[in-house]
Amino acid sequence: SVLRRTATLHGAARLRMDLAASGAGAALSGAFLAPMSGVLLVLEELGTYWSKPLLVRVFVCCLSGAAVAMLLWAEEQNLLGRLFLDRVHAVSVLEPEDSYTSQGVFVGEVVAFAFMGVLGGVGGSAFNAAAMRVSAMRRKHVSGRRWRRVADAAALAGVSAVAIYSVCAAWPCSPFDKNAEPRVVSKYAKGLGCADPYKEWNPMATLWLNPLLKADAILLSHEHVHFSLSVLAAHWALFLVLALAVVGTTVPHGLLLVSITLGGGFGRALGVAAELATGVRLVHGLWATVGASAFVAGATHTTLAFMMMLVELTDDSTYLVPATIAAVIAHTIGSSMGKSYYDRQVEATHMAFLEQADEDQPALNLLDARDVMTKNPSCLRGTEPLRSVAIALASCGHHGFPLVDPGDNGRGRRMVGFVTRERLVDLVDRELAKLTGLPTGGPAHHPLPPAGPRDAPSMQPSAEAAAPADGSALEVDFELWRALCTIGVPLPADGPEGADGASVLRALAQRTVSLAEVSDVCPFAVREGLPIRALLHHFLRLGARNIVVLSDNYEVLGICTRSDVDVHALDRALERSWKRPAWLDERRHARTA
């Protein structure tokens, strides 16, 4: 994401989007030491198209991220010298036991795993629905002001800490033999509230007071870890409540590890219950692995990426088939019950997320560019006063402005170029640097603009402030000052009433700039009758953020952004078109002819 935001390659928007996806895959690969799962996650969920350059970039980034993380892990464990002599399973994240031997799977377990896939699909969809409800409530009541968001996060952190510590402190301890317990348990066991931490352990504190990845390592351990059914049920219920409570907060909480913990705890609890009911010793880690796979597939609709991650996490593919069966069933049921968590978030936050054209979407056949464009956009001329440029930048958040030729009558809108917002801000910054002597791109240390009309009287200049040398009166242009404050350019510290600030405003009012020097004289534009299918194709292939719509006379009619052609915007545009049956019948007849 940092690479995408800081890249300044002109005309390489598609490359910046690839860098964002590659960075996400590299982060996942470095966190789990799973490079192949990072590649599959990007191609399965994050990428909107397949191409050889994207595959190469993602593979190199994921492999590099996993390699760096592996070297850091080896340095931390003092195994850097052995890293290149031992096999790769020496750096498995979940630390497989040396005494572990693969066991077979009973036929009855396969049926239970299939049923667990059904539960994972239903549970994942229910979790998504509940999470979206909580997120909508938080956006409605909390997200309005910053202090509310901070207070909400602080209160939630305090309540969570008190609840977790209270449950862990009140839970009874169990006998503990460090030599007899599996290594993953003896290493991370917690003795909160125990009389002798070396001979007793607190299973609830072990699951709560370790980092989430270590807790998942304990839950997914294939060794026989002594977790009672009450411990697993209480941990799962409290974790579910807290996981739903933090949805939509300003503090990042993630989803993948949360889904693994919920699914792993539920699956391990079912394994313990099945062992108590049948009297046959079962591998609880297998049930936890299958449960995690089912819940992740049901909530996020991710199957291939998590299956590969599972193999790389445990360094064991023995139970890949049962986990895959459960994941496929959960994915099928979850898809039939609704969208994934990621798709629901995209829809709820109105993000402009574009995918490959769907042949079944009626909007792609019935609508064209003029039905979804923003009409009468803000345009600039080839030569504009610097004041007009600054006010235009502050009045709207467009990523760019068309340059038009006004003609002889001054009302023409014939397009002659396109200038991006970044270039306009840089142009204003350079012009102000010539006047003020401040460095370009520096932090703005000017006062904030007035919040409303009630603050206007306090902004009136004093009698002696900003008075010209010749004694004439000078009217302070507060609108221009607020525009410069909004776009964040360096300004004199004495404010608009000071001598320096007033001189800057007076000089800007008399200065004009040529925008043709910083514009693109051959911008990409489309005609008003272009079908939506072709317009969506241009956005996907070019990676553009906006495309200008022209008439047959090359006059600017509107601008289409990525948010105008996403699936939700197309549905709304199609609903509006159905209110005009004559227009729709004429369009259908023209398309048929």
Side-chain angles (χ1 to χ4, degrees), residues 444-459:
H445 51 275
H446 48 75
L448 294 177
R454 68 182 63 180
D455 298 329
S458 63
M459 294 291 292

Side-chain angles (χ1 to χ4, degrees), residues 383-471:
T383 302
E384 284 279 1
L386 195 60
R387 181 181 186 277
S388 301
V389 175
I391 294 177
L393 289 172
S395 61
C396 61
H398 295 169
H399 296 293
F401 298 85
L403 292 186
V404 298
D405 182 11
D408 297 334
N409 57 2
R411 299 180 180 179
R413 294 174 64 90
R414 185 181 178 88
M415 185 174 180
V416 295
F418 189 86
V419 58
T420 61
R421 184 182 187 87
E422 292 79 3
R423 293 189 177 184
L424 288 178
V425 173
D426 183 67
L427 177 63
V428 175
D429 197 4
R430 292 200 310 265
E431 294 295 330
L432 282 175
K434 297 178 182 178
L435 297 174
T436 62
L438 296 175
T440 60
H445 51 275
H446 48 75
L448 294 177
R454 68 182 63 180
D455 298 329
S458 63
M459 294 291 292
Q460 295 298 327
S462 58
E464 66 275 9
D470 56 1

Side-chain angles (χ1 to χ4, degrees), residues 189-336:
K190 300 296 181 180
L192 180 66
C194 300
D196 189 356
Y198 295 97
K199 296 183 179 180
E200 293 180 327
W201 74 311
N202 191 328
M204 183 64 69
T206 302
L207 292 177
W208 276 113
L209 301 184
N210 279 300
L212 196 56
L213 183 59
K214 303 304 181 183
D216 291 339
I218 299 173
L219 286 175
L220 301 182
S221 175
H222 290 171
E223 289 297 320
H224 196 74
V225 183
H226 298 285
F227 285 113
S228 63
L229 186 60
S230 59
V231 172
L232 295 173
H235 172 264
W236 185 85
L238 181 58
F239 193 91
L240 176 62
V241 173
L242 295 181
L244 290 175
V246 300
V247 173
T249 58
T250 56
V251 180
H253 52 83
L255 177 65
L256 184 59
L257 288 179
V258 172
S259 301
I260 294 176
T261 304
L262 288 173
F266 181 74
R268 196 174 190 92
L270 289 182
V272 173
E275 183 177 285
L276 294 176
T278 59
V280 180
R281 182 169 179 175
L282 303 176
V283 182
H284 300 163
L286 168 61
W287 288 68
T289 302
V290 175
S293 304
F295 194 88
V296 170
T300 65
H301 298 179
T302 303
T303 53
L304 295 178
F306 185 73
M307 290 299 99
M308 184 60 64
M309 183 189 304
L310 191 64
V311 175
E312 293 177 309
L313 280 174
T314 60
D315 195 23
D316 185 14
S317 60
T318 305
Y319 300 123
L320 183 61
V321 175
T324 303
I325 293 175
V328 170
I329 295 176
H331 181 276
T332 303
I333 295 178
S335 300
S336 62

Side-chain angles (χ1 to χ4, degrees), residues 57-125:
R57 292 175 185 135
V58 171
F59 180 78
V60 172
C61 289
C62 292
L63 191 62
S64 302
V68 173
M70 188 179 299
L71 291 175
L72 294 177
W73 180 92
E75 178 65 23
E76 181 183 358
Q77 301 294 329
N78 296 324
L79 296 176
L80 190 59
R82 297 176 51 192
L83 181 63
F84 300 99
L85 301 179
D86 294 348
R87 296 184 60 184
V88 70
H89 71 267
V91 293
S92 175
V93 173
L94 295 190
E95 301 182 10
E97 298 292 334
D98 298 333
S99 60
Y100 167 71
T101 56
S102 301
Q103 302 182 25
V105 179
F106 297 103
V107 177
E109 285 185 296
V110 177
V111 178
F113 295 156
F115 179 69
M116 197 180 300
V118 176
L119 295 180
V122 176
S125 300

Side-chain angles (χ1 to χ4, degrees), residues 14-28:
R14 178 80 268 169
L15 177 60
R16 293 196 295 270
M17 297 176 67
D18 291 352
L19 289 176
S22 302
L28 179 69

